[in-house]
Amino acid sequence: MSIAAVVAYTIALALIPQFAGNYETRIAISVAMFSALALSWNFIGGFTGYPSFSTAAFFGLGCYIGALSQRAGLPAEAAWMIATVGVAAFAAALGAIILRLKGHYFAIGSIAIVEVTRLIISSWGSVTGGGDGLNVPLMTGTPDVVAARILYIMLAVMGGAFVATVIVDRSRLGFGLRCIHQNEDAADMVGVDTTRFKIAAFVLSALFCGLVGAVYASWVGYIDPTDSFSILLTVKVPVMALLGGAGTLAGPIVGAGVFVLLEEFFWANFLQWNRAILGIIIVFLIFFLPGGLLKIRYKNLLKKLSANRSADRSNTVSEGEAKG
Amino acid sequence: MTAILELKNVSKNFGGVSAVSNVSFGLKQGEIVGLIGPNGAGKTTLVNLVTGVHSLSDGQVIFKGEDVGSQKPFQAARRGLARTFQIVQPFPEMTVLENVSAGAVFGGAAGGIAAGQEAAQAELDFVGLGHVANEPASSLSLPNRKRLELAKSLAMKPSVLLLDEVNAGLNASEIDDALKLIEQISGRGVTILIIEHLMKVVLSVSERLLVLHHGELIADGTPKQVVEDQRVIEAYLGAKFAERYKVAG
C-alpha cells in the first residue's frame, strides 16, 4: 500500500512544474532532495539503529567531488556518478572503523566526521578553493527548464533510494539489520556477520547522499564548505526520518515532506523563530512520537477520543441526576 | 571415536586474573555432557571461548578436525556450534517466529526468508511454542523465553549445542519439562554440553560430568565418580566438610 502511495506522490511532485511557478518547483526540489537524504539515513539509523550524523559529510563530499569533476571538464552526469562511487568508497573505508563504536559514541564519532571533512576541504585551498568556495558550470537553459530538470533528477534519486529501501526490507540484508538493531550480540550469535552488514548499511546511507550532493552542486552553481558540510543538515535529516517513522518504508518520505513544508511556513511567517521551532519539533518527537507519524495508531486515537467524550457526557448526566 | 569438539590446554586471562587455565577435554558425537562448578568457576567464560566471543589467551579449540580458535561468533554459528545464553537474548520487538527464523536464515541452511520461516515453525512446534509464533518475543514468560532461545539455536541446525544455564530461574516442574526437551534434542544426534551450577539437574541427564573450579578442570568422569571425588566435594562444600565426609565414608 505504501508503495502505491509513494508512486502517486512522486507523480504528483513531478507534475508541479506544469501547473505551478518557480517557487513551488523549488520547494518540490527541496522535498525530493530531503526525501532522498532521509531515505538514505533510514538504512543506518532506521533499520540498523545506529544514530548516524554523517549525512552532511557524505552530502558535502558529493558536492565537492561532483563540482571538481565538472570543473575538470566532465559532463554533469559523469560527475554525478563519480561522486556517488567516491562517497560510497569513502563510507566503506570509514565504516570499518567507526562502526566499532556504539550508541552515543557512534553518534559523536559520526558528527566528528562532518567537522573533519569540512576542515580538510576548507584548508585544502589549492584544490577546493578553500573558504572562497567553487563555481560549478551552470546548466544550460531557462530557469524554468533547469528547475524542472533538477526536479526530475532529484525525484529519480528519491525513487532509487525508495526502491533500494523496499529491496533491502525484503531481503536477508534488511532482516539481518533489524536483528542488529534489536540485539547486536544475539544477531552475531545466530550467524549474522554484523560487521559486513553494518558496513553495507553505512554505504547505502552514504551513496545516495553523495549523488544528491553532486546534483545539488550543479543546481546551485556555487558551493562552499560551510554550506556543504552544514551541521544543521546533519541534524535535520534524521529528524525528518524520525518524524515520519524510522525503519518504515515510506516514513522518511512523509517526514521530509511534512518537515520541509513546516519549515517553509515558519521561514515565511516567523523568520526569527525558525531554529527554535526545529528544536521544539525535536523535543516533541522524543516525548510524544518515538515511533514517528506512521506508527501512530490513528484508529485507537479516535476511539480513545470518542470514549473520553462519551465518558464526559455520562459524567455530566450522572451529576445532573445526583443534583436532581 | 574422535571427538567432535576438543579443547586443548585452553586458557584465558583478563589482565592479571586467570579466568580459565589449562582446560582440556573432548566431546564425542551424540554425547550429553554436564559442565558444573560453583559460581565464578569460569563456566560461561569457557562457553564464550568456544564460540569466539572471547579470544583465547592460550591453547586450541578444535571443531570437526579444524582449529577454530580465532573464529568470530557468527562463524561459530554457521559452522554448527550453537549456544544459548544464561541471560536470554531475544530480538524483543520481533515475533517469536521471526526470532527463530533469524537462526534458520543466518546460521542454518535455509536459503531465503520464506524457507527460514518454514524451518522456524517446525522448531517452534518441537519446543512447544507453535501456538505463540506470531506473538512478540517480549510478551513471553521466562520459561517460554528459554524455549525460544532453544528453538533459535536448533534452527541453526547445530552439531554441537552449548546450553548455558537453560534451567536457571525455572521451578521444579518447568525444569522437568526442559530436561525432557534436552533428551529429545539429544535424540536428534546433537552433541550437548549443559552448563549448570545445580548438581541435581545435571546428574539426571548427563552421561559424563566435567567440573570446573577457579578456572581449572578438577574432574572428568561419570556422574557417580564425580560426586564422590574428593576435590569436587571440597570445591562445593569446603575442605572441612570434605575431611569429615572422608572419615565417615
Side-chain angles (χ1 to χ4, degrees), chain A residues 204-226:
Chain A
L204 279 170
S205 84
L207 63 92
F208 293 106
C209 296
L211 179 53
V212 167
V215 174
Y216 172 82
S218 300
W219 177 36
V220 295
Y222 168 78
I223 52 170
D224 68 17
T226 339

Side-chain angles (χ1 to χ4, degrees), chain B residues 72-114:
Chain B
K72 297 259 167 57
F74 78 89
Q75 291 168 323
R78 290 180 186 177
R79 283 200 172 103
L81 198 52
R83 72 172 294 184
T84 63
F85 286 90
Q86 184 172 359
I87 297 155
V88 288
Q89 301 274 7
F91 304 118
E93 283 166 36
M94 291 187 182
T95 66
V96 170
L97 184 69
E98 282 173 320
N99 264 271
V100 178
S101 57
V105 169
F106 297 107
I113 291 178

Side-chain angles (χ1 to χ4, degrees), chain A:
Chain A
M1 195 197 84
S2 61
I3 295 176
V6 169
V7 171
Y9 178 67
T10 312
I11 293 172
L13 284 176
L15 290 175
I16 284 181
Q18 315 291 330
F19 300 105
N22 241 331
Y23 170 71
E24 287 80 8
T25 308
R26 198 188 60 75
I27 293 180
I29 294 175
S30 258
V31 167
M33 177 171 124
F34 279 108
S35 298
L37 293 175
L39 281 166
S40 304
W41 181 86
N42 198 31
F43 288 114
I44 188 79
F47 282 105
T48 323
Y50 271 64
S52 166
F53 290 100
S54 292
T55 302
F58 302 141
F59 176 84
L61 275 181
C63 287
Y64 269 87
I65 297 176
L68 289 170
S69 309
Q70 273 191 271
R71 283 166 66 96
L74 289 173
E77 290 78 8
W80 299 339
M81 286 305 121
I82 291 174
T84 312
V85 174
V87 170
F90 172 75
L94 195 71
I97 306 164
I98 189 176
L99 289 164
R100 287 163 196 265
L101 301 174
K102 285 180 187 155
H104 309 87
Y105 301 99
F106 175 80
I108 291 168
S110 65
I111 289 186
I113 290 170
V114 177
E115 274 308 283
V116 170
T117 43
R118 184 181 67 80
L119 282 170
I120 291 173
I121 294 287
S122 63
S123 323
W124 198 1
S126 57
V127 175
T128 62
D132 294 340
L134 282 179
N135 284 313
V136 187
L138 285 174
M139 298 176 89
T140 49
T142 63
D144 293 358
V145 174
V146 169
R149 244 188 95 196
I150 292 288
L151 175 63
Y152 298 144
I153 295 162
M154 286 293 188
L155 282 174
V157 180
M158 171 182 125
F162 183 69
V163 169
T165 305
V166 173
I167 293 172
V168 167
D169 183 57
R170 293 179 179 178
S171 68
R172 269 170 68 97
L173 176 61
F175 190 24
L177 294 178
R178 262 192 233 103
C179 289
I180 293 174
H181 186 183
Q182 303 256 308
N183 188 335
E184 191 167 340
D185 289 334
D188 202 1
M189 280 299 161
V190 296
V192 180
D193 186 347
T194 51
T195 313
R196 268 181 51 202
F197 274 60
K198 286 190 295 186
I199 291 176
F202 201 54
V203 169
L204 279 170
S205 84
L207 63 92
F208 293 106
C209 296
L211 179 53
V212 167
V215 174
Y216 172 82
S218 300
W219 177 36
V220 295
Y222 168 78
I223 52 170
D224 68 17
T226 339
D227 185 36
S228 306
F229 296 90
S230 141
I231 284 290
L232 196 63
L233 174 79
T234 232
V235 176
K236 240 155 68 169
V237 169
V239 168
M240 288 171 183
L242 292 171
L243 179 64
T248 60
L249 292 181
I253 297 180
V254 172
V258 170
F259 192 97
V260 169
L261 292 181
L262 280 179
E263 201 184 30
E264 201 56 39
F265 174 76
F266 290 125
W267 259 117
N269 297 294
F270 312 94
L271 191 54
Q272 286 156 352
W273 293 93
N274 184 28
R275 297 285 160 85
I277 287 163
L278 174 66
I280 291 169
I281 293 181
I282 295 175
V283 172
F284 179 80
L285 270 180
I286 293 168
F287 280 107
F288 300 108
L289 279 183
L293 290 171
L294 290 186
K295 290 270 175 80
I296 303 175
R297 300 217 177 95
Y298 292 98
K299 277 184 191 161
N300 286 4
L301 209 65
L302 287 177
K303 248 185 234 162
K304 231 185 204 172
L305 285 176
S306 59
N308 278 347
R309 207 170 299 152
S310 54
D312 284 349
R313 204 175 303 142
S314 62
N315 276 347
T316 44
V317 168
S318 55
E319 270 171 30
E321 277 169 357
K323 273 177 195 163

Side-chain angles (χ1 to χ4, degrees), chain B residues 179 183 199-206:
Chain B
L179 291 180
E183 278 172 346
M199 277 278 208
K200 179 184 157 246
V201 172
V202 188
L203 289 177
S204 59
V205 285
S206 307

